[in-house]
Amino acid sequence: MTCETEGATKVVARRYMRDMAIAGALYMVLVVAGALAIRFVDPPQWARIVLALLPLAPVALILRAILVFINSIDEFQRRIQMEAVLITAGLTAFGTFAWGFLEEWADLPRLSVMWVLPAMMMLWGLTLWIVRRRYK
């Protein structure tokens, strides 16, 4: 990697971290504010729906930051990311499918689909670490 490429990568990474921090902070504020409003204000159903969906706006910003980051890195780094994403998708699909059978046939507790995206994000981080190690 040349010095010029390293510098560009640092700029991209810095922008990515900034965008993720802003979106993450906004997400946390909206989740806490929405939960408190629902618990203590007891709004009407339409307002509960709005409050429940508000945290999706910063999640969309997080997904946008990821897309911008992926499109800003070089081809080799993009290949590593995409390999990690594909492994993550496969593991998530397999895991949720397996859990569905365990819920239905083994009477394990039901899990909300709300946990699929956080699980995917954590798996992506883990698989990215593993894939990067293979190329070092």
Side-chain angles (χ1 to χ4, degrees):
M1 189 181 282
T2 66
C3 289
E4 185 176 303
T5 306
E6 286 178 16
T9 301
K10 286 181 183 178
V11 169
V12 167
R14 217 175 296 125
R15 183 178 64 209
Y16 172 73
M17 294 303 289
R18 182 201 66 213
D19 292 349
M20 291 293 280
I22 291 168
L26 184 57
Y27 171 81
M28 288 187 293
V29 167
L30 290 175
V31 166
V32 170
L36 291 173
I38 288 171
R39 183 173 186 157
F40 295 113
V41 177
D42 194 28
Q45 183 66 19
W46 68 267
R48 286 176 176 266
I49 292 169
V50 170
L51 289 169
L53 294 177
L54 274 177
L56 295 181
V59 171
L61 292 176
I62 288 170
L63 295 175
R64 180 186 177 279
I66 292 168
L67 186 60
V68 168
F69 175 73
I70 295 295
N71 287 325
S72 300
I73 56 179
D74 65 42
E75 288 180 24
F76 177 65
Q77 293 300 323
R78 194 174 302 137
R79 176 187 170 156
I80 290 172
Q81 290 285 343
M82 290 303 106
E83 189 174 331
V85 166
L86 287 171
I87 293 167
T88 298
L91 290 173
T92 303
F94 185 83
T96 56
F97 195 60
W99 191 263
F101 278 108
L102 293 171
E103 286 179 351
E104 292 297 322
W105 294 356
D107 294 325
L108 265 63
R110 300 238 179 240
L111 290 180
S112 171
V113 294
M114 181 180 79
W115 296 106
V116 173
L117 183 60
M120 286 183 72
M121 299 303 262
M122 289 188 301
L123 274 172
W124 185 10
L126 177 63
T127 58
L128 183 59
W129 178 74
I130 292 168
V131 170
R132 278 187 177 149
R133 289 192 62 187
R134 281 195 357 221
Y135 289 102
K136 287 192 178 202

